Amino acid sequence: MPTFIEKPTRIEAAGNKPKLIDEYVGRVNTGTESPSVAHMRSPGGWIEPGQRPAFDEYTVVLRGTLRVEYEGGAVDVRAGQAIIAHKGEWVRYSTPGEDGAEYIAVCLPAFSPATVNRDA
């Protein structure tokens, strides 16, 4: 039988401004360790600490622009585009545009504060 998920759980976000994270599938909302699926909405000017996660993160941008910095550069991912951040590689996410961004993130294995490995 399929598992019906009635609603997400709101997760506290890291960064300099409030960002909304609604986890539909993952460790918090469904007890799922692989994968996690979350709907993100970040305001313009939001930036989070860099990280070197122990999971792959697949991100599809629905609205706005998400900037992904990595060792050696940065890429702006716009609505209708996607990016894969590979486990073990340093990345930092931000939304430099004044309208922010809305996106879906899938982490494999599921996101965990213990495995995101944020910069100190």
Side-chain angles (χ1 to χ4, degrees):
M1 176 178 171
T3 301
F4 174 67
I5 301 163
E6 186 174 337
K7 62 181 181 170
T9 297
R10 179 71 42 92
I11 306 291
E12 185 175 341
N16 65 329
K17 293 184 173 187
K19 170 184 161 182
L20 300 177
I21 302 175
D22 290 330
E23 180 185 275
Y24 284 84
V25 176
R27 297 175 192 269
V28 174
N29 200 49
T30 59
T32 306
E33 293 187 14
S34 179
S36 60
V37 178
H39 181 197
M40 317 277 211
R41 290 170 304 278
S42 56
W46 168 81
I47 187 168
E48 73 176 358
Q51 58 193 33
R52 195 176 294 275
F55 49 79
D56 290 325
E57 186 165 356
Y58 305 84
T59 304
V60 177
V61 177
L62 305 172
R63 181 186 58 75
T65 300
L66 178 69
R67 177 166 293 153
V68 181
E69 295 175 67
Y70 58 92
E71 291 175 323
V75 62
D76 286 344
V77 186
R78 293 176 172 76
Q81 298 178 325
I83 192 163
I84 303 170
H86 301 282
K87 66 182 171 186
E89 295 181 353
W90 182 88
V91 292
R92 179 170 47 202
Y93 298 96
S94 63
T95 47
E98 75 177 50
D99 292 334
E102 179 178 4
Y103 50 102
I104 300 294
V106 176
C107 298
L108 187 62
F111 174 89
S112 161
T115 61
V116 71
N117 302 317
R118 286 198 175 95
D119 294 348

